[in-house]
Amino acid sequence: MEIEKTMETVKPGSYVKVKNYPPIAWIVLRKSFVTPDKYVCVMVGDDRKFEIDFEDIIIINDDEFCRSCGDLNCNWHRYTDSEEYGEP
């Protein structure tokens, strides 16, 4: 289910995927201080920061990706509606 994206809905802590990029979840850290309409994001499972254009961001739900590797196609450790955090 795609969530409506506006400058107000893309905020720190949002989970997103990036257009034309492999199916990996990203976490939004903040808006760019330097470039308008860009956000500083990191891939789940990584620590490198990237600036991503607002137009390339697609918001996803927190149960749409593996919490260990960040892959959108991996089902090893996903959240469910009934758990906050637990074993896979």
Side-chain angles (χ1 to χ4, degrees):
M1 180 173 117
E2 203 165 302
I3 299 169
E4 184 180 351
K5 178 184 75 169
T6 65
M7 294 295 257
E8 289 77 37
T9 58
V10 178
K11 56 188 176 231
S14 295
Y15 295 106
V16 301
K17 61 183 178 179
V18 178
K19 286 182 191 173
N20 302 317
Y21 204 83
I24 299 292
W26 296 70
I27 301 171
V28 176
L29 297 180
R30 60 177 168 78
K31 284 193 72 156
S32 173
F33 295 135
V34 179
T35 312
D37 297 337
K38 286 197 177 195
Y39 289 82
V40 177
C41 304
V42 294
M43 283 186 269
V44 171
D46 198 354
D47 60 356
R48 293 173 294 160
K49 297 174 184 169
F50 295 84
E51 285 199 355
I52 309 293
D53 288 323
F54 173 76
E55 293 301 320
D56 292 336
I57 289 175
I58 301 166
I59 298 174
I60 60 173
N61 292 311
D62 64 353
D63 62 353
E64 292 185 55
F65 62 94
C66 176
R67 292 293 175 146
S68 296
C69 67
D71 194 314
L72 298 174
N73 298 317
C74 179
N75 291 313
W76 185 78
H77 191 188
R78 290 182 180 230
Y79 282 0
T80 65
D81 292 338
S82 62
E83 70 176 336
E84 267 186 48
Y85 187 80
E87 293 300 315

